Amino acid sequence: MSEPKKSGSREDRKTRLTVLVALSANLLIAVAKAIGGLIATSPALLSEAAHSVADSLNEVFLLAALHRSRRPADRQHPFGYGKERFFWSLLAAVGIFVMGGCFSFFQGFEALTQPAAKESHTGYVVGLVVLGVALLAEGASLIRAVLQVRAQPGKGIGSDPALRTVLAEDSTAVLGVLLAAGGMVLHMVTGDIVWEASASLAIGVLLVFVAYRLGKSAREQLIGEAVDPELRAGILEFLDEQQEIDYVASLYTMRLGMDSTLVAARVDLTPGIDSERLELVSERIKDAIQDHWPEADQVFLDVVEVPQRVRD
């Protein structure tokens, strides 16, 4: 059981470094975008500044998630604190919606309804330079997140909510920079503020969509998400193969954290097993499940008499 924890700690260190890289990039970019947006009086660039501020705050949430989710189990939380990861990821999704999406909508509507500010060609050049630098920084952070995801075969982006959030943030940041730059260039060429306002509104829509998807995933994990169907099928097949088990009445699973899974099965044993052997059989099956699937660290078997097998 010690090896999965070491492996999980190594993955946490990689994820923490990925989050720190994204946080550093976003803090610098947020300041640069805000200054450039004020100089150019650009709603699209100011929307991107709010986007970067939201991402920075969210990455602080994710660092808290990485730290708090590794606390050991105690009397009040006998299954540990693994779901802290999902809770802080939900807060990050809310932050993207409120700080990024809502502010972008505000900037877009204000640009459409308020008298146009005096345009500064120099300011717009500065703004575009800022966006170019931001694109390089966000792109570098995105590449690191993608490489870490690709290094997790069989798990993918859904395995770590912190890594999933960083990847979603970096992806939307790159797309947001391109939208803002496009809006600014079209505004400069046509002299029509509607292009920048539209870019700001598009950034808002993008952020709201990403926040919804991240929040939906975190919600499912918080209320008790089952393991992948392949993992459940493997455990069920393993139980079926045990000669001491006659029927598998039901099998329930739930993710408790990144490397912690609850497995609860109701089984009917073959006739003739006495109480002393029952305990030995139960412990052997539990140990075998944990050996095959180390993440299944909480295994419970309930012996019952059932008339037929129920798989779902």
Side-chain angles (χ1 to χ4, degrees):
M1 294 298 295
S2 59
E3 182 59 30
K5 293 180 181 179
K6 291 180 181 179
S7 178
S9 298
R10 287 195 296 268
E11 290 302 321
D12 272 5
R13 285 195 292 270
K14 293 179 182 178
T15 302
R16 185 177 292 109
L17 181 58
T18 298
V19 174
L20 287 172
V21 169
L23 175 61
S24 301
N26 279 317
L27 285 174
L28 294 174
I29 292 169
V31 174
K33 286 178 180 177
I35 294 174
L38 292 173
I39 293 175
T41 62
S42 167
L45 192 50
L46 289 174
S47 295
E48 271 299 293
H51 182 181
S52 295
V53 171
D55 286 351
S56 299
L57 180 60
N58 295 339
E59 274 130 22
V60 173
F61 288 159
L62 298 180
L63 290 174
L66 292 171
H67 173 70
R68 295 178 64 86
S69 65
R70 286 295 172 184
R71 289 183 295 171
D74 53 35
R75 181 174 297 180
Q76 293 296 321
H77 301 86
F79 294 114
Y81 290 81
K83 288 197 174 185
E84 284 259 18
R85 206 134 173 168
F86 311 140
F87 168 73
W88 289 96
S89 296
L90 179 61
L91 290 187
V94 174
I96 293 174
F97 175 80
V98 175
M99 297 185 62
C102 292
F103 185 80
S104 296
F105 282 129
F106 170 77
Q107 285 292 319
F109 285 122
E110 186 179 48
L112 291 174
T113 57
Q114 298 296 323
K118 184 178 180 180
E119 300 172 8
S120 169
H121 182 79
T122 302
Y124 267 75
V125 172
V126 171
L128 290 173
V129 170
V130 169
L131 287 177
V133 174
L135 183 62
L136 293 176
E138 299 285 12
S141 179
L142 175 60
I143 290 173
R144 175 176 176 81
V146 170
L147 290 176
Q148 186 174 348
V149 169
R150 290 173 62 88
Q152 297 180 331
K155 295 181 180 180
I157 188 173
S159 63
D160 189 340
L163 181 58
R164 180 177 59 248
T165 302
V166 172
L167 186 57
E169 287 178 348
D170 288 343
S171 300
T172 56
V174 169
L175 185 54
V177 167
L178 294 176
L179 287 171
M184 291 180 67
V185 169
L186 289 172
H187 183 192
M188 291 177 62
V189 172
T190 65
D192 193 345
I193 189 64
V194 72
W195 291 109
E196 269 202 82
S198 298
S200 186
L201 293 174
I203 292 170
V205 171
L206 177 65
L207 293 177
V208 169
F209 173 75
V210 170
Y212 168 75
R213 293 300 300 269
L214 291 174
K216 182 175 181 291
S217 177
R219 171 185 172 274
E220 291 173 351
Q221 293 166 331
L222 280 173
I223 64 178
E225 185 179 42
V227 299
D228 295 336
E230 290 184 5
L231 176 56
R232 183 185 184 279
I235 296 175
L236 180 59
E237 181 180 0
F238 174 83
L239 292 173
D240 279 337
E241 292 174 350
Q242 304 308 302
Q243 61 181 3
E244 298 89 352
I245 295 179
D246 193 12
Y247 294 124
V248 178
S250 55
L251 176 63
Y252 303 101
T253 63
M254 182 171 64
R255 292 184 63 196
L256 301 175
M258 286 303 303
D259 52 10
S260 179
T261 297
L262 183 146
V263 177
R266 299 175 68 243
V267 299
D268 182 19
L269 300 182
T270 55
I273 298 179
D274 56 35
S275 59
E276 292 184 1
R277 188 182 172 203
L278 173 62
E279 183 176 352
L280 293 175
V281 168
S282 178
E283 290 302 318
R284 181 187 65 78
I285 293 176
K286 290 179 183 179
D287 291 341
I289 290 176
Q290 292 173 345
D291 288 340
H292 280 79
W293 299 278
E295 65 270 31
D297 58 337
Q298 303 290 340
V299 181
F300 300 90
L301 294 180
D302 183 21
V303 178
V304 295
E305 292 186 3
V306 293
Q308 61 181 1
R309 186 181 311 187
V310 181
R311 292 181 176 273
D312 297 313

